[in-house]
Amino acid sequence: MLTFEMIQEAKRALEGIARKTPLDPAPKFGANVYIKSENLQLTGAFKLRGAYNKIRSLTPEERERGVIACSAGNHAQGIALSAAKLGIRSIICMPAGAPISKVEATRSYGAEVVLVPGVYDDAAREAERLTQEHGYTFAHPFNDPCVIAGQGTIGLEILEQLPEVEQVVVPIGGGGLISGVAMAVKTLKPSCRVIGVQAAGAASMYASRRAGRPVELDGVATIADGIAVKKPGDLTFALCQKYVDEIVTVNEDEISSAILALMEVQKTVAEGAGATPVAAVMFGRVDTTRLKTVCLVSGGNVDVTTLSRIITRGLSKAGRLVELTTKVADKPGSLIRLLQIVADSGANIVRINHAREDRHSDVGACIVTMVVETRDQAHICQLEASLTEKGYFLLDH
């Protein structure tokens, strides 16, 4: 059973091990909005807190057998670093599709990495199999009181850094983070609301809450790999039922926009899971007009190539990047006249393709597809109106 005293004990144990991460105002997201930057934690995510608290609690016999864990990346790094600090062998089962940066970082901390085809839940099954086969000590990433207590230390920090906080918004995957944070916050300040956020493509806790019991999704698909969990734990589900006020979901475009906004506005890098609370605030899932609200940005371990695609998606969602396709006559000067309209509108062409042979093209016409930088959605509408006014028919793409 998890107790508040376990969270307080974890806080003392983590002194000198985990950083006390910043909590700063984020006025561009709202007058009452603050960011708790666990993406600046050692290993780049909050998971170190729960991982170290779990590893330190092992008996000498359990340490001798070695520790095994399953993770999409952040728990893996937390376990690997904690085990290395305490001189314990660690084996980590990770989904084969986990970001390369997370896989390599886990190896760099000294862990033996086993890549498993599928998602987190498939890695969990392989970790359980190896535990039975070799007698390792299993460190669950979320459904464990010691792990949850470690994550709960963030709740204590939030109340220390912003005693007047009235609402905390937290990502949910398996539920370990929000369970610990919610218990800590609600124990010390029952009036403070705790809201969970899930990716719409991996909303297992959201579905479980509606069903009144932990349910397993058929599959999960989201750029927020850190919270791509098919089924929450029974312990975390019970804690969420008791302490969490509400759970909302955000879609992929909204998560991408939040990552982009955090980079531009807060000058900080968040991974998909970490950006979900900000996405919930940005797109009206959480009302911050009256309540002082802390968004817990849980991690920043995002692969650079993935980040590039996310930024592109975020720019499109924000109306700052658009793809337009139209026909032009296959005659000298036709293309430059089209480009002049784009230039006069103040838009900037990033990429262009001019094709004579296309299923949409007529004899004597060409298809031109442009990827264009714009200011916002209003600017896109202005550009499209200018093109239509000059006789250009915009094709669907």
Side-chain angles (χ1 to χ4, degrees):
M1 288 293 294
L2 177 70
T3 64
F4 180 67
E5 289 70 29
M6 288 173 65
I7 299 175
Q8 292 177 309
E9 182 187 352
K11 185 175 186 298
R12 290 189 291 270
L14 286 167
E15 290 178 5
I17 301 296
R19 292 173 179 159
K20 184 175 183 178
T21 52
L23 194 157
D24 299 311
K28 292 291 180 67
F29 296 121
N32 293 319
V33 178
Y34 297 77
I35 301 294
K36 174 64 170 170
S37 300
E38 277 295 295
N39 57 318
L40 301 181
Q41 185 55 261
L42 292 173
T43 73
F46 74 98
K47 288 283 192 176
L48 173 68
R49 296 173 183 262
Y52 185 84
N53 197 48
K54 173 63 178 178
I55 298 296
R56 76 173 184 89
S57 70
L58 299 181
T59 65
E61 294 76 15
E62 289 172 327
R63 296 185 182 202
E64 182 65 28
R65 290 199 297 267
V67 64
I68 189 169
C70 53
S71 170
N74 289 334
H75 181 63
Q77 293 175 64
I79 290 290
L81 179 59
S82 300
K85 282 181 175 291
L86 296 170
I88 301 169
R89 180 190 178 198
S90 62
I91 301 93
I92 311 294
C93 293
M94 302 180 70
I100 294 171
S101 59
K102 292 184 178 181
V103 174
E104 293 306 312
T106 303
R107 286 194 175 116
S108 74
Y109 292 126
E112 301 170 32
V113 175
V114 178
L115 293 177
V116 182
V119 295
Y120 161 79
D121 300 81
D122 301 296
R125 282 189 285 272
E126 178 63 9
E128 289 171 5
R129 187 189 70 78
L130 291 172
T131 298
Q132 293 174 359
E133 184 176 327
H134 299 284
Y136 300 131
T137 300
F138 183 62
H140 199 283
F142 53 82
N143 205 46
D144 183 293
C146 290
V147 170
I148 296 171
Q151 323 304 24
T153 60
I154 300 171
L156 299 181
E157 281 187 18
I158 289 172
L159 290 171
E160 288 174 2
Q161 293 168 307
L162 190 72
E164 63 272 30
V165 63
E166 298 167 287
Q167 185 168 250
V168 181
V169 189
V170 187
I172 303 181
L177 173 60
I178 196 168
S179 294
V181 170
M183 179 185 236
V185 169
K186 289 289 190 179
T187 299
L188 294 177
K189 192 172 184 179
S191 63
C192 183
R193 284 174 54 79
V194 178
I195 299 177
V197 187
Q198 291 206 285
S204 56
M205 187 69 82
Y206 180 84
S208 297
R209 195 173 176 104
R210 291 169 68 90
R213 58 181 174 80
V215 298
E216 183 170 357
L217 304 178
D218 293 333
V220 291
T222 176
I223 57 174
D225 59 281
I227 53 175
V229 177
K230 287 183 182 178
K231 185 179 181 180
D234 53 354
L235 175 56
T236 57
F237 173 75
L239 289 166
C240 283
Q241 288 290 79
K242 183 174 182 180
Y243 293 111
V244 176
D245 295 286
E246 184 182 359
I247 298 175
V248 300
T249 64
V250 289
N251 65 38
E252 301 298 280
D253 285 342
E254 291 164 345
I255 296 170
S256 298
S257 296
I259 292 171
L260 180 63
L262 281 163
M263 290 180 66
E264 291 193 318
V265 175
Q266 291 296 115
K267 313 304 178 189
T268 192
V269 176
E271 59 188 276
T276 55
V278 174
V281 167
M282 286 176 61
F283 293 96
R285 306 296 192 283
V286 176
D287 184 7
T288 65
T289 54
R290 296 175 297 103
L291 304 178
K292 285 192 180 296
T293 302
V294 172
C295 292
L296 203 173
V297 176
S298 58
N301 292 320
V302 58
D303 189 76
V304 175
T305 55
T306 303
L307 183 61
S308 175
R309 294 194 293 270
I310 289 171
I311 290 172
T312 299
R313 191 164 186 164
L315 288 169
S316 298
K317 174 70 175 177
R320 293 168 56 190
L321 201 66
V322 65
E323 183 176 308
L324 300 172
T325 301
T326 189
K327 293 181 183 180
V328 298
D330 188 11
K331 296 178 181 178
S334 296
L335 181 59
I336 197 167
R337 282 192 289 274
L338 172 66
L339 301 185
Q340 190 61 55
I341 296 170
V342 176
D344 290 344
S345 76
N348 181 49
I349 294 175
V350 177
R351 187 169 65 251
I352 187 167
N353 182 60
H354 179 270
R356 275 182 167 173
E357 297 179 3
D358 187 280
R359 63 187 177 87
H360 295 294
S361 63
D362 304 321
V363 176
C366 297
I367 297 295
V368 176
T369 300
M370 304 172 287
V371 177
V372 183
E373 283 181 333
T374 47
R375 291 186 296 274
D376 49 30
Q377 290 291 348
H379 191 193
I380 292 174
C381 292
Q382 175 196 331
L383 174 57
E384 290 177 338
S386 296
L387 290 168
T388 302
E389 186 181 309
K390 294 295 192 332
Y392 293 95
F393 179 73
L394 297 176
L395 303 171
D396 292 332
H397 46 75

